[in-house]
Coordinates of all heavy atoms in Angstrom, one line a residue:
E105 N 7.1 -5.8 -15.7 CA 6.4 -5.6 -14.5 C 5.4 -4.4 -14.6 O 4.4 -4.3 -13.9 CB 7.3 -5.3 -13.3 CG 8.2 -6.5 -13.0 CD 7.4 -7.7 -12.5 OE1 6.5 -7.5 -11.9 OE2 7.8 -8.8 -13.0
K106 N 5.7 -3.5 -15.5 CA 4.8 -2.3 -15.6 C 3.4 -2.7 -16.2 O 3.3 -3.3 -17.2 CB 5.5 -1.3 -16.5 CG 4.7 0.0 -16.7 CD 4.5 0.7 -15.4 CE 3.7 2.0 -15.6 NZ 3.5 2.7 -14.3
G107 N 2.4 -2.2 -15.5 CA 1.1 -2.4 -16.0 C 0.5 -3.7 -15.7 O -0.6 -4.1 -16.0
K108 N 1.2 -4.6 -15.0 CA 0.8 -6.0 -14.8 C -0.2 -5.9 -13.6 O 0.1 -5.4 -12.5 CB 1.9 -6.9 -14.4 CG 1.5 -8.3 -14.1 CD 2.6 -9.1 -13.6 CE 3.7 -9.4 -14.6 NZ 4.7 -10.3 -14.1
F109 N -1.4 -6.3 -13.8 CA -2.4 -6.3 -12.7 C -2.2 -7.5 -11.8 O -2.0 -8.6 -12.3 CB -3.8 -6.3 -13.2 CG -4.9 -6.2 -12.2 CD1 -5.2 -5.0 -11.6 CD2 -5.5 -7.3 -11.7 CE1 -6.2 -4.9 -10.7 CE2 -6.5 -7.2 -10.8 CZ -6.8 -6.0 -10.2
I110 N -2.1 -7.3 -10.6 CA -1.8 -8.4 -9.7 C -3.1 -9.2 -9.3 O -4.0 -8.7 -8.7 CB -1.1 -7.8 -8.4 CG1 0.1 -7.1 -8.7 CG2 -0.9 -9.0 -7.4 CD1 0.8 -6.5 -7.5
H111 N -3.1 -10.4 -9.7 CA -4.2 -11.3 -9.4 C -3.9 -12.2 -8.2 O -2.7 -12.2 -7.8 CB -4.6 -12.2 -10.7 CG -5.0 -11.4 -11.8 ND1 -6.2 -10.9 -12.0 CD2 -4.3 -11.0 -13.0 CE1 -6.3 -10.3 -13.2 NE2 -5.2 -10.3 -13.7
N112 N -4.9 -12.9 -7.8 CA -4.6 -13.8 -6.7 C -4.0 -13.1 -5.4 O -3.1 -13.7 -4.8 CB -3.8 -15.0 -7.1 CG -4.4 -15.7 -8.3 OD1 -5.6 -16.0 -8.3 ND2 -3.6 -16.1 -9.2
M113 N -4.4 -11.9 -5.1 CA -3.9 -11.2 -4.0 C -4.5 -11.8 -2.7 O -5.6 -12.2 -2.6 CB -4.4 -9.7 -4.1 CG -3.7 -8.8 -3.1 SD -4.4 -7.1 -3.1 CE -4.1 -6.7 -4.8
T114 N -3.6 -12.0 -1.8 CA -4.0 -12.6 -0.5 C -4.7 -11.6 0.3 O -4.7 -10.4 0.0 CB -2.8 -13.1 0.3 OG1 -2.0 -12.0 0.7 CG2 -1.9 -14.0 -0.5
E115 N -5.4 -12.0 1.3 CA -6.1 -11.1 2.3 C -5.1 -10.1 2.9 O -5.4 -9.0 3.0 CB -6.9 -11.9 3.3 CG -8.1 -12.6 2.8 CD -9.2 -11.6 2.5 OE1 -9.7 -10.9 3.3 OE2 -9.6 -11.5 1.2
D116 N -4.0 -10.7 3.3 CA -3.0 -9.8 4.0 C -2.5 -8.7 3.0 O -2.3 -7.6 3.4 CB -1.8 -10.6 4.5 CG -2.1 -11.4 5.7 OD1 -3.1 -11.1 6.4 OD2 -1.3 -12.3 6.1
E117 N -2.2 -9.1 1.8 CA -1.8 -8.1 0.8 C -2.8 -7.1 0.5 O -2.5 -5.9 0.3 CB -1.3 -8.9 -0.5 CG -0.1 -9.7 -0.3 CD 0.2 -10.5 -1.6 OE1 -0.7 -10.7 -2.4 OE2 1.4 -10.9 -1.7
K118 N -4.1 -7.5 0.4 CA -5.2 -6.5 0.2 C -5.2 -5.5 1.2 O -5.3 -4.3 0.9 CB -6.5 -7.3 0.1 CG -7.7 -6.4 -0.1 CD -9.0 -7.2 -0.3 CE -9.4 -7.9 1.0 NZ -10.7 -8.6 0.9
Y119 N -5.2 -5.8 2.5 CA -5.3 -4.8 3.5 C -4.0 -4.0 3.7 O -4.0 -2.8 4.0 CB -5.7 -5.5 4.9 CG -7.0 -6.1 4.8 CD1 -7.2 -7.5 5.1 CD2 -8.1 -5.4 4.5 CE1 -8.5 -8.0 5.0 CE2 -9.4 -5.9 4.4 CZ -9.6 -7.3 4.7 OH -10.8 -7.8 4.7
M120 N -2.8 -4.7 3.4 CA -1.6 -3.9 3.4 C -1.5 -2.9 2.3 O -0.9 -1.8 2.6 CB -0.4 -4.8 3.3 CG 1.0 -4.2 3.6 SD 1.1 -3.5 5.3 CE 1.3 -5.0 6.2
R121 N -2.1 -3.1 1.2 CA -2.1 -2.2 0.1 C -2.9 -0.9 0.5 O -2.6 0.2 0.2 CB -2.7 -2.7 -1.2 CG -1.8 -3.7 -1.9 CD -2.1 -4.0 -3.3 NE -1.2 -4.9 -3.9 CZ 0.0 -4.6 -4.3 NH1 0.4 -3.3 -4.3 NH2 0.8 -5.5 -4.8
R122 N -4.0 -1.2 1.3 CA -4.7 0.0 1.8 C -3.9 0.8 2.8 O -3.9 2.0 2.8 CB -6.1 -0.5 2.5 CG -6.9 0.6 3.1 CD -7.2 1.7 2.2 NE -7.9 2.7 2.8 CZ -8.0 4.0 2.4 NH1 -7.5 4.3 1.2 NH2 -8.8 4.9 3.1
A123 N -3.1 0.1 3.7 CA -2.2 0.8 4.6 C -1.2 1.6 3.9 O -0.9 2.7 4.3 CB -1.6 -0.3 5.5
I124 N -0.7 1.1 2.8 CA 0.3 1.8 2.0 C -0.4 3.1 1.4 O 0.3 4.2 1.4 CB 0.8 0.9 0.8 CG1 1.7 -0.2 1.4 CG2 1.6 1.8 -0.2 CD1 2.1 -1.2 0.4
Q125 N -1.6 3.0 1.0 CA -2.3 4.2 0.4 C -2.4 5.2 1.5 O -2.2 6.4 1.3 CB -3.7 3.8 0.0 CG -3.7 3.0 -1.4 CD -5.2 2.6 -1.7 OE1 -6.0 2.4 -0.9 NE2 -5.4 2.6 -3.1
L126 N -2.8 4.8 2.7 CA -2.9 5.7 3.8 C -1.6 6.3 4.2 O -1.5 7.6 4.5 CB -3.5 5.0 5.0 CG -4.9 4.5 4.9 CD1 -5.2 3.5 6.0 CD2 -5.9 5.7 5.0
A127 N -0.5 5.6 4.2 CA 0.8 6.1 4.6 C 1.2 7.3 3.7 O 1.7 8.3 4.2 CB 1.9 5.0 4.5
K128 N 0.9 7.3 2.5 CA 1.3 8.3 1.5 C 0.5 9.6 1.8 O 0.9 10.6 1.3 CB 1.1 7.8 0.0 CG 2.0 6.7 -0.3 CD 1.7 6.2 -1.7 CE 2.6 5.0 -2.1 NZ 2.3 4.5 -3.5
C129 N -0.5 9.6 2.6 CA -1.2 10.8 2.9 C -0.4 11.7 3.8 O -0.7 12.9 3.9 CB -2.5 10.5 3.6 SG -3.7 9.6 2.7
G130 N 0.6 11.2 4.4 CA 1.5 11.9 5.3 C 2.7 12.6 4.6 O 3.6 13.1 5.3
E131 N 2.7 12.5 3.3 CA 3.8 13.0 2.5 C 4.2 14.5 2.8 O 3.3 15.3 3.0 CB 3.6 12.9 1.0 CG 4.8 13.3 0.1 CD 4.5 13.1 -1.3 OE1 3.4 13.2 -1.8 OE2 5.5 12.7 -2.1
A132 N 5.5 14.8 3.1 CA 6.0 16.1 3.3 C 5.6 16.7 4.7 O 5.8 17.9 4.9 CB 5.5 17.1 2.2
S133 N 5.0 15.9 5.5 CA 4.6 16.4 6.9 C 5.2 15.6 8.0 O 5.0 16.0 9.2 CB 3.1 16.5 7.0 OG 2.5 15.2 6.9
T134 N 5.8 14.4 7.7 CA 6.2 13.5 8.9 C 7.7 13.6 9.1 O 8.2 13.1 10.1 CB 5.8 12.1 8.6 OG1 6.5 11.6 7.4 CG2 4.3 12.0 8.3
A135 N 8.5 14.0 8.1 CA 10.0 14.0 8.3 C 10.4 14.7 9.5 O 9.8 15.7 9.9 CB 10.6 14.6 7.1
P136 N 11.4 14.2 10.2 CA 12.3 13.0 9.8 C 11.7 11.7 10.2 O 12.3 10.7 9.9 CB 13.5 13.3 10.7 CG 13.0 13.9 11.9 CD 11.9 14.8 11.5
N137 N 10.5 11.6 10.7 CA 9.8 10.3 10.8 C 9.4 9.8 9.5 O 9.1 10.5 8.6 CB 8.6 10.5 11.8 CG 9.0 10.7 13.2 OD1 10.2 10.5 13.6 ND2 8.1 10.9 14.1
P138 N 9.2 8.5 9.4 CA 8.7 7.9 8.1 C 7.2 8.0 8.0 O 6.5 8.3 9.0 CB 9.2 6.4 8.3 CG 9.1 6.2 9.8 CD 9.6 7.5 10.4
M139 N 6.7 7.9 6.8 CA 5.3 7.8 6.5 C 4.9 6.4 6.9 O 5.5 5.4 6.4 CB 5.0 8.1 5.1 CG 5.3 9.5 4.7 SD 4.9 9.9 2.9 CE 6.2 9.1 2.1
V140 N 3.8 6.2 7.6 CA 3.3 4.9 8.1 C 1.8 4.9 8.0 O 1.2 5.9 8.3 CB 3.8 4.6 9.5 CG1 3.2 3.2 9.9 CG2 5.2 4.7 9.6
G141 N 1.2 3.8 7.5 CA -0.2 3.6 7.5 C -0.6 2.4 8.2 O 0.2 1.4 8.3
A142 N -1.8 2.4 8.8 CA -2.3 1.2 9.6 C -3.8 1.0 9.3 O -4.5 2.0 9.1 CB -2.1 1.4 11.1

């Protein structure tokens, strides 16, 4: 699985990956709440 580039990504997956990137911007500042991106 390591290094495998994901092809044929759906539209939903493409935008969710961006939401995941955004969520990580809240690292170390949201606890005890979770990190969330939208």
Side-chain angles (χ1 to χ4, degrees):
E105 296 299 321
K106 181 61 179 177
K108 182 189 293 183
F109 184 80
I110 301 177
H111 297 279
N112 303 319
M113 190 184 303
T114 67
E115 286 292 295
D116 285 344
E117 290 173 341
K118 178 175 68 174
Y119 295 123
M120 189 61 74
R121 288 196 181 280
R122 175 56 182 162
I124 290 171
Q125 289 179 327
L126 291 165
K128 294 177 180 179
C129 294
E131 185 177 32
S133 62
T134 65
N137 285 353
M139 294 181 286
V140 182

